[in-house]
Structure formats: structure tokens, C-alpha cells
Amino acid sequence: MKKKLLFFDIDGTLYNTSKKIPEATKRAIEEARANGHEVAIATGRSPFFLKEVSEELDIDSYVSFNGQFVVYQGKTISKRPIPADVLERLAIEAEKDGYPVVYLDEQRMTSTTEYDDHVKASMDSLFYPMPEYDLNHWKEADIYQALLYVPEEEKPRYLKAFPELAFIRWHKYSDDVINHDVSKAYGIEQFIQHTDFTLADTMVFGDGLNDIEMLELVAKNGTSVAMGNSPERVKEAASIVTEHVDEDGLSKAMRRLGLCE
């Protein structure tokens, strides 16, 4: 088989519902790498939130912040922070509505509230503590992603007010907020420009709504795999659907595709 470039989402794809990487997944990735395939991560997470999985799987290439910050073999190759003037407008609107915002740069995460049940619930789902309280973070650093805790019924108002931004639901209480023209697909395209791979050589694996663009992009030229635990919209975007993450769906798909034995 020609060598492939493999991108893996983390939560619900590499990580099972217990936030663990199954042993079968670890073996499959080790075998795929031994067979000459390049392994990378494509995630909504920040670089500082990748440390554990990167070390566990020995991966130093990733598309993070849903495409806003891209690293190839330890070197940053693409950065798209959210413009400060847009962040200022978002901060004013969210404060007026009483909605918490979490801001993320490449090194840390902060919150506009010291404590909020919805923020706490979303952080608990990631096995992460409440972010530190800081109202000025967005003024002092390049912000690559925000988390807006807006009720679903109020989201259309934000979509209309902020055409420069994309709002992607990742938790029942929260949206990822990034530049409107950026996605994991955009990040993968930036990544490929720095390698000898093409989209036809690329395979992607994901399960969430923020994976739809990359699944659709790669399905047109290469192979994209949706996990069995994916919503129907995500499955429809992929060229292949595998079993649930808790049923070793990722390793099973990799073996069917001939990436490992």
C-alpha cells in the first residue's frame, strides 16, 4: 500500500467514553506507523490540552483549535487567531446577555466567570478543572478559540451578529467559536502543503460535528471514517462508518483499510 497520512480526532475517536485510548487502538497506530504511514491529530482541543495523548501515542503533528493552529513535526506551520476587534464585540455581547465565555490561546484557558454550572459541566466532560478567572485574557494574547455558553435557541442571533465567526456545538451547553472560514478541513489543507502527501493519500477518522468538513473534504479524494457513535449528520459526511469507539471501532477500521495487520 502507498504510504498514507492519517488524521485522528481525539474525543470519541481515539478516546473512548471513559476518556481512555483502548489498547487495540494503540497497537493499530503503532503498526500503522511501523508500516510507514504518517500519524497526526485533528482536534478542537488546544495544543496545551494535547500533551497527554501526544506523549501516549508519540505524535508531534496536529491540527488543533479546529484548524486554527497547525503543527507539523513539532514546528508551527499555520496560525489564524480570532481578530481582536471581533473578540471585543463578542465579549460585550456575551456580557450583556450574561453568557460565560472561555478563551483559549496556545498555552492556557481562561473564563469570564469564577464558577458556572454549565462551564463546570462541560469541563467535567473533558476531565478538566474550571479554567482560571481572567476578564482580560482576550486583550493580552492571540486567542485561537472561544467557548460560548449560549442556549441553542439564542444561537441564531449570534450567527447573524457575527458573520466573521463559526459557532460549532460541541457540548449541550457550549459552542466552539472560531473564524468562519476555518475548520479541520482548512487545517488539513495547510498541513498537506508542507508534506509530499496529497488529499488522495489522506485518511481521516472522526465522530463529531466539528469533523464534518474534514470528512467531506477527504471523502471526495481519499478515505474518511466516521465512528459508530457519531451523529447521523457526521456518518453521512464520511465514506465509511465503523463500529462504536467502545467496540474498538477505530482499530477495526484501520485493519479493514490495510493500515495494520
Side-chain angles (χ1 to χ4, degrees), residues 68-85:
Q68 302 250 118
F69 195 93
V70 183
V71 170
Y72 177 52
Q73 295 182 349
K75 180 181 178 181
T76 302
I77 57 174
S78 178
K79 298 193 294 185
R80 285 284 305 277
I82 301 172
D85 62 318

Side-chain angles (χ1 to χ4, degrees), residues 172-188:
K172 66 184 292 187
Y173 298 130
S174 179
D175 274 37
D176 285 335
V177 182
I178 59 175
N179 290 308
H180 76 99
D181 58 345
V182 176
S183 65
K184 290 186 183 182
Y186 169 88
I188 288 172

Side-chain angles (χ1 to χ4, degrees), residues 43-232:
T43 181
R45 292 186 180 215
S46 60
F48 67 83
F49 206 3
L50 296 178
K51 189 173 186 296
E52 185 175 346
V53 65
S54 296
E55 290 180 351
E56 191 169 1
L57 297 176
D58 191 25
I59 296 175
D60 62 358
S61 296
Y62 52 83
V63 170
S64 64
F65 289 130
N66 289 311
Q68 302 250 118
F69 195 93
V70 183
V71 170
Y72 177 52
Q73 295 182 349
K75 180 181 178 181
T76 302
I77 57 174
S78 178
K79 298 193 294 185
R80 285 284 305 277
I82 301 172
D85 62 318
V86 178
L87 285 171
E88 181 176 15
R89 288 170 41 223
L90 180 66
I92 292 170
E93 191 71 16
E95 183 180 16
K96 182 184 73 175
D97 292 335
Y99 300 149
V101 182
V102 169
Y103 296 107
L104 300 98
D105 64 24
E106 61 184 283
Q107 297 180 330
R108 69 188 187 117
M109 172 165 52
T110 64
S111 174
T112 60
T113 180
E114 293 186 75
Y115 181 85
D116 179 87
D117 286 339
H118 290 175
V119 177
K120 178 67 163 54
S122 70
M123 293 297 121
D124 284 349
S125 74
L126 298 172
F127 291 62
Y128 201 82
M130 272 291 296
E132 64 178 294
Y133 174 61
D134 186 343
L135 291 176
N136 296 313
H137 185 193
W138 66 268
K139 302 176 184 178
E140 301 165 348
D142 284 338
I143 300 300
Y144 293 96
Q145 183 168 282
L147 309 179
L148 177 65
Y149 290 80
V150 57
E152 192 69 43
E153 62 271 18
E154 291 295 320
K155 183 173 166 179
R157 182 161 56 84
Y158 278 80
L159 289 169
K160 183 176 180 179
F162 296 93
E164 313 94 328
L165 299 175
F167 297 81
I168 309 162
R169 206 69 171 179
W170 73 275
H171 186 272
K172 66 184 292 187
Y173 298 130
S174 179
D175 274 37
D176 285 335
V177 182
I178 59 175
N179 290 308
H180 76 99
D181 58 345
V182 176
S183 65
K184 290 186 183 182
Y186 169 88
I188 288 172
E189 289 177 321
Q190 304 309 303
F191 191 105
I192 286 174
Q193 290 178 16
H194 290 78
T195 73
D196 294 327
F197 292 100
T198 67
L199 280 174
D201 303 321
T202 304
M203 294 184 179
V204 296
F205 303 78
D207 76 297
L209 298 177
N210 62 342
D211 295 319
I212 289 176
E213 291 88 351
M214 76 169 184
L215 291 168
E216 289 178 335
L217 174 72
V218 176
K220 296 174 184 176
N221 301 277
T223 301
S224 63
V225 181
M227 304 299 293
N229 43 286
S230 306
E232 285 305 312

